Amino acid sequence: TSDEISIAVQVAQVAAVTIENLDLIDALRDADQRKDRFLATLAHELRNPLTPIVNAVAMLERVAGSHSGVARAKATIDRQSSQLVRLIDDLMDVSRVTQDRLELRREVVLLRDVFELAFEAVRPMIIERNLHLTVNMPDESIGLFVDPARLAQALTNILSNAVKYTDPNGDILVAVHMTTDDVRIEVSDTGIGIPAEQLEHVFQMFSRVYDHGSRMPAGLGIGLALARRLVEMHGGTMTAHSAGVGQGSTFRFTLPRVVRSDSHHDELLKVD
Ligand code: ADP
């Protein structure tokens, strides 16, 4: 009957659309993989020339001795190139993270030492922008079973944002609280703040807040996505808070003190 024919036609149409969609999904997945591969290659190609450049500058400094202009130029190149190295390394990690290829190398470390790695990375920027950094940490030594380089990377990303998005002479406060289960770390700044509706979006890969109403500092929008992912890989959480534009921002993250997946370390790690 004509009814049956029209049903058959509809079924065929649905099937055709489904097949078309499957092709489209394949094409999108393929494009996404090519994009990941491109990003990884791009990062490698950008990273390779940097080491010889940094080495050559160190040599120039030795040759030029105490010439103050050379020393100043060297300091600028050092600062800018280490920022570039961090950016490129983050870019390399994007493809590792999206393909679940990033592995943690956990060891027992003191939280203080992880902080020191991160502070070392951002100290030149803090000095350059004349920001005031206050650190409130419990006196007791806090031992954690974590990947120190990866945790420092997460912390560095958050701290360098606090520096980037805060005008000169502003304040950055780092506070560490202990609970029985968690270490809670809070990084607050007196910077440009984040609009409420963007608080969750800032953790999406490649996302940036463009309606701050201020000049937009350079960036790719990957630092926070990576930082949250790295903290989550450690079993923690990360959230953003801000009373709004111009009101400063706070990034909070937790790290469990107990690692449950590994029975050898299924205990509170306290190093005295
Ligand atoms: P990037 O800084 O490279 O743009 P991120 O992923 O580190 O990328 O941050 C994403 C966005 O979140 C930034 O572009 C910025 O708009 C906003 N943001 C991050 N940290 C802060 C902060 N401390 N204060 C205000 N805005 C911030």
Side-chain angles (χ1 to χ4, degrees), residues 31 67 73-74 76 118 129 142 149 163 166-167 205 212 227 237 254:
H67 191 289
K74 162 89 171 34
T76 306
R129 293 177 69 79
I142 303 167
V163 173
T166 302
D167 284 336
M205 200 68 91
H212 279 302
T237 58
T254 61

Side-chain angles (χ1 to χ4, degrees), residues 87 157-158 161-166 189 191-194 201-204 206-210 212 216-226 248-251:
L87 194 63
N157 287 358
I158 292 174
N161 278 347
V163 173
K164 251 167 56 176
Y165 299 104
T166 302
D189 62 58
I192 59 179
I194 301 171
H201 292 171
V202 293
F203 293 107
Q204 279 165 5
F206 309 118
S207 77
R208 313 194 72 206
V209 180
Y210 286 99
H212 279 302
M216 192 70 182
L220 296 175
I222 55 183
L224 283 181
L226 276 180
S249 313
T250 297
F251 285 82

